[in-house]
Amino acid sequence: MKKVILLALLLAGGKAWAQPEIKPVGALPSNAQVKWQQLEYYMFIHFGPNTFTDKEWGHGDEDPKVFNPTELDARQWARTAKLAGMKGIIITAKHHDGFCLWPSEYSKHTVRESAWKNGKGDVLAELSAACREYGLLFGVYLSPWDRNHPAYGTPEYNQVFANQLKEVHTKYGDVFEQWFDGANGEGPNGKKQVYDWNLFESTVTNIHPNVIFFSDAGPGCRWIGNESGYAGVTNWSTLNRADFKPGMGGITETLNKGQEDGTHWVPGEADVSIRPGWFYSETTDNQVKSLAHLLDIYYGSVGRNANLLLNIPVDRRGRIHENDSMRLMELRRTLDVDFKENLARKARVAATNTRQNSSVTSAVYLTDGNYNTYWATAEGKNTGDITLSYANPVTFNRISIQEFIPLGQRVRSFSVSVLQGKEWKEIARETTVGYKRILRLPLTTAKSIRVSILDAKASPVISEVSLFRAPELISDPEIRRDKAGMVTIKTASPDPVIHYTTDGSAPTTASPKYEKPFALPGSGSVSAIAFVENGKRSSDVIDAIFGISPINWKVLTPGAENAIDATPRAWTTKENAYPAELVVDLGREETVKGVGYQPNTHGGIVYKYALYLSADGKEWGKPVAEGAFANVLNNPIEQSIKLSSSVTCRYIKFVALAPANAQDTRVSVAELKVF
Ligand code: FUL
Ligand code: CA
């Protein structure tokens, strides 16, 4: 970086921009974007009335008094983030319910109206102070969609929202990222808002010129196109920005990969929650993502040229729950061990096509541990091989490659090979690199390892190549139940010993040992853990919750068998299917407490529904439940419909009333479950 600037200064003396040593290529990041990219990993916090009402999307009509954390401790959040190795915290200052975590002058739905601290509290003040204390960056999420504000849906609301942005950006010190949610629904008067993005952005940049704006389409960074934490295996940091608007829909594929020759630098940020939902719920205390899952997410985001924004929902006490923080610490410890020793530092490094007579590029800079020094090929040479050689063979299973992004993202494809005898054997072939690409490879032993840049937009400029040997992880047990109600537990790794429970307690070595499939025909849960080395090391505890087994059920809707077959296969209708009914005969009377809808992640996702129960399949009466599945399109996890009291019945009718995506008018059910 320094060298580039220096060079620019030398060349700027009156003349037009002369040829710098390495010509930048395509859209380039701003300094703030380069710094932002180097953060890699930071915390998201969803917190608000939804925490207390057990909702994902509040309606804005909730009593603000429900917001009443008993022992809120923002320092505990910051401490947890710091120990987890995160660089900052972004909090939902205002979610779709409109509730403000600070006493906004422009709303009557805020902490001031809540029961917490007799209305004298300010979550943003406490969190921003805690972030400063722990050396973390502070960021804010503000939902433009406001289901409470009376002006929503009118032009005045844009000014209200701008005023709120102004409050948040002036009162709490520096803000590194401003998160704009893409969801744009109806306000209290049934109207949707036409947002004035220019006003929103200029309001913020006037105060914080270096802030990174997150939205579906940037401009600072872009949504990665899903809420599961994965960037595309091909991931360009550039995008044709003018073609995208926040919340426009139908662009998730493109956002996942970026656009190779995009006009602007709009790098990806992968957001995901450590639990199934974004807000805390007691019901998900045992569904915190497993270590293996979180590692997979890490490698699928930071390892694919995206930043990872991991949500840790604060609970009703106002604290990060023990289960979440324990998992975060496991993740940190594992990553620390995975990347403990960079084996490339010990290698002899050579490269082909190296730029000659260059003061700034050399193969030795590939392994000097400094991002700002690099190797580059000669101008016009868009390929090159980097070889790491050792006197004694090394064993590794991770390789990390970094491009020097201030000069643009260049690499289109690369491969990794190892020398076996006299032959080079290719062990990986991939596409983009970007700021950082990490590959997980099978354990490989070799004396020479070669990274070949096979294609690039211009001469590749590579900052670092690193090799690591990560310890083998014990894979988590997978719990499955077939249609007949037989439960099978397996692990991917060969011979761990599995123990399980069916009473909700945590399994230990003293719990029953899994030896063969067992029957669980009714509603219930199974928890399992895998042990190796005589119980010394274990996997995470994995829980599975099952409804009544569908063995004796019959589907009365023609062709809908896949909706109750206990497999991920789905029943999907043709287009224009709404409203559509799914009728099931449970085969006998059951006491029903609730129904689960497992959406089909490939489409046909239902948003509005009604549920009917009947004793004879003829008289249905009024629906026992009606509503909408909040946030189901972006986060298609199992949705539960809880009945206010249990009902004895034999027939169930699930009616899909409206789609989650207006362009997709099919109805699809991966599984209908009865509890
Ligand atoms: C989405 C919202 O609708 C969810 O509730 C959540 O805040 C997620 C991060 O963004 O668009
Ligand atoms: Ca370097």
Side-chain angles (χ1 to χ4, degrees):
M1 210 28 206
K2 260 191 211 131
K3 279 170 187 146
V4 176
I5 291 164
L6 200 81
L7 208 70
L9 289 176
L10 288 175
L11 293 164
K15 282 180 242 150
W17 178 264
Q19 287 262 303
E21 197 160 352
I22 299 179
K23 269 191 275 167
V25 162
L28 301 177
S30 67
N31 284 337
Q33 283 174 316
V34 174
K35 274 204 195 150
W36 172 88
Q37 192 84 57
Q38 292 176 330
L39 301 175
E40 296 188 3
Y41 176 40
Y42 34 92
M43 186 184 277
F44 214 177
I45 291 181
H46 275 63
F47 186 47
N50 293 345
T51 311
F52 300 87
T53 56
D54 218 337
K55 289 206 168 95
E56 280 293 299
W57 280 1
H59 289 266
D61 57 358
E62 55 282 321
D63 183 347
K65 292 270 182 297
V66 298
F67 183 83
N68 192 15
T70 48
E71 38 185 304
L72 186 137
D73 184 0
R75 296 179 68 241
Q76 186 241 6
W77 315 348
R79 198 158 57 239
T80 307
K82 188 74 186 183
L83 289 171
M86 294 165 153
K87 299 290 164 54
I89 301 182
I90 301 178
I91 186 160
T92 52
K94 167 177 156 178
H95 203 254
H96 310 326
D97 53 30
F99 185 86
C100 302
L101 293 183
W102 79 102
S104 173
E105 273 181 47
Y106 304 94
S107 165
K108 294 206 168 62
H109 201 45
T110 78
V111 279
R112 189 183 49 235
E113 284 75 29
S114 78
W116 178 55
K117 293 194 168 173
N118 294 317
K120 298 278 176 329
D122 182 340
V123 180
L124 298 193
E126 296 196 22
L127 180 58
S128 55
C131 283
R132 271 190 294 277
E133 180 184 340
Y134 285 92
L136 296 168
L137 300 174
F138 171 69
V140 287
Y141 165 122
L142 269 86
S143 165
W145 181 23
D146 186 326
R147 300 173 100 177
N148 172 272
H149 205 283
Y152 189 86
T154 71
E156 293 92 88
Y157 173 78
N158 282 330
Q159 195 53 55
V160 169
F161 189 60
N163 291 342
Q164 293 185 325
L165 287 167
K166 200 164 171 185
E167 286 181 321
V168 167
H169 283 267
T170 42
K171 286 172 64 178
Y172 307 104
D174 200 33
V175 174
F176 84 104
E177 184 169 327
Q178 168 66 52
W179 225 87
F180 283 131
D181 198 284
N184 175 3
E186 292 148 9
N189 53 13
K191 288 202 191 116
K192 276 196 191 181
Q193 182 75 26
V194 181
Y195 296 132
D196 187 345
W197 290 109
N198 289 339
L199 173 67
F200 303 163
E201 278 173 33
S202 62
T203 304
V204 174
T205 37
N206 283 342
I207 308 163
H208 288 134
N210 287 326
V211 77
I212 297 293
F213 285 104
F214 168 98
S215 83
D216 289 3
C221 67
R222 68 173 201 270
W223 183 40
I224 209 66
N226 60 61
E227 293 184 0
S228 46
Y230 292 93
V233 280
T234 295
N235 183 16
W236 293 97
S237 291
T238 44
L239 199 71
N240 293 325
R241 212 171 71 194
D243 298 347
F244 301 92
K245 271 206 324 273
M248 71 193 278
I251 52 175
T252 51
E253 276 286 292
T254 313
L255 295 182
N256 197 235
K257 300 189 183 89
Q259 291 172 307
E260 182 175 330
D261 292 312
T263 51
H264 291 80
W265 189 270
V266 193
E269 180 188 85
D271 61 317
V272 60
S273 183
I274 196 164
R275 293 178 178 230
W278 288 98
F279 283 90
Y280 175 80
S281 166
E282 207 187 337
T283 62
T284 58
D285 279 350
N286 291 318
Q287 293 178 52
V288 174
K289 288 191 169 66
S290 69
L291 175 62
H293 190 170
L294 290 174
L295 282 168
D296 202 54
I297 287 172
Y298 182 87
Y299 285 106
S301 53
V302 176
R304 291 186 193 157
N305 188 33
N307 277 1
L308 172 57
L309 176 61
L310 180 60
N311 181 63
I312 316 295
V314 164
D315 67 15
R316 289 185 182 178
R317 294 170 303 175
R319 296 176 66 92
I320 289 174
H321 192 274
E322 294 66 4
N323 293 4
D324 307 64
S325 64
M326 270 170 26
R327 191 54 42 78
L328 275 179
M329 296 312 132
E330 281 173 3
L331 175 63
R332 181 72 261 152
R333 276 199 300 276
T334 310
L335 290 171
D336 282 347
V337 177
D338 279 13
F339 298 112
K340 194 164 149 205
E341 194 194 356
N342 178 1
L343 301 165
R345 299 294 289 269
K346 293 192 195 143
R348 202 157 28 80
V349 194
T352 64
N353 295 348
T354 302
R355 192 171 286 244
Q356 297 301 309
N357 308 319
S358 161
S359 56
V360 298
T361 79
S362 161
V364 300
Y365 292 145
L366 285 163
T367 56
D368 67 349
N370 181 353
Y371 181 71
N372 294 322
T373 59
Y374 42 78
W375 162 82
T377 58
E379 202 63 46
K381 269 262 181 269
N382 298 349
T383 61
D385 291 339
I386 299 162
T387 311
L388 306 180
S389 313
Y390 297 83
N392 299 311
V394 288
T395 302
F396 68 100
N397 55 7
R398 302 280 185 277
I399 186 163
S400 156
I401 307 172
Q402 295 191 272
E403 281 186 81
F404 185 68
I405 56 169
L407 292 172
Q409 186 180 350
R410 299 157 178 249
V411 176
R412 288 197 184 106
S413 85
F414 69 98
S415 66
V416 181
S417 315
V418 291
L419 192 62
Q420 306 230 301
K422 289 206 170 98
E423 297 281 307
W424 284 101
K425 182 181 162 224
E426 185 172 298
I427 56 170
R429 184 180 279 248
E430 297 289 338
T431 54
T432 50
V433 174
Y435 166 70
K436 193 179 260 185
R437 184 74 197 266
I438 315 172
L439 303 181
R440 282 189 290 183
L441 302 164
L443 215 53
T444 306
T445 303
K447 273 179 151 179
S448 289
I449 297 110
R450 189 175 75 191
V451 175
S452 304
I453 308 298
L454 304 171
D455 188 17
K457 290 172 68 172
S459 61
V461 184
I462 309 291
S463 288
E464 285 292 299
V465 172
S466 317
L467 287 185
F468 304 94
R469 177 186 187 161
E472 219 78 39
L473 205 70
I474 310 169
S475 59
D476 289 330
E478 276 174 44
I479 309 171
R480 290 264 160 77
R481 191 181 69 175
D482 66 12
K483 194 167 177 180
M486 294 303 285
V487 176
T488 313
I489 313 178
K490 275 198 309 215
T491 55
S493 36
D495 35 36
V497 179
I498 300 170
H499 292 266
Y500 71 96
T501 58
T502 52
D503 60 2
S505 67
T508 64
T509 42
S511 312
K513 196 161 144 188
Y514 175 81
E515 262 140 350
K516 58 176 193 308
F518 59 91
L520 186 83
S523 221
S525 72
V526 177
S527 305
I529 186 169
F531 290 98
V532 293
E533 296 161 19
N534 290 323
K536 269 203 224 102
R537 292 206 302 141
S538 68
S539 71
D540 286 335
V541 174
I542 298 297
D543 296 324
I545 301 164
F546 297 108
I548 303 165
S549 132
I551 178 83
N552 295 315
W553 299 6
K554 242 180 36 219
V555 131
L556 302 179
T557 304
E561 285 72 23
N562 284 351
I564 57 158
D565 68 346
T567 78
R569 272 195 304 262
W571 162 63
T572 308
T573 66
K574 296 218 170 77
E575 303 277 324
N576 297 317
Y578 287 89
E581 292 183 354
L582 175 63
V583 185
V584 176
D585 173 2
L586 303 179
R588 62 162 193 224
E589 271 196 348
E590 298 276 8
T591 308
V592 176
K593 289 195 199 130
V595 167
Y597 163 60
Q598 180 68 59
N600 172 5
T601 48
H602 301 293
I605 297 183
V606 177
Y607 180 53
K608 288 191 179 150
Y609 67 87
L611 182 74
Y612 297 81
L613 303 177
S614 162
D616 57 8
K618 289 180 197 112
E619 295 296 316
W620 292 99
K622 288 214 179 77
V624 289
E626 243 177 318
F629 300 124
N631 200 29
V632 65
L633 182 62
N634 291 329
N635 193 18
I637 52 174
E638 183 174 321
Q639 308 287 315
S640 66
I641 307 173
K642 288 177 208 128
L643 305 186
S644 40
S645 56
S646 46
V647 175
T648 307
C649 68
R650 178 168 163 177
Y651 296 86
I652 292 194
K653 177 153 70 177
F654 173 76
V655 187
L657 293 172
N661 171 359
Q663 271 94 59
D664 180 359
T665 54
R666 297 165 303 166
V667 172
S668 190
V669 177
E671 201 69 19
L672 194 76
K673 301 182 182 174
V674 176
F675 295 94

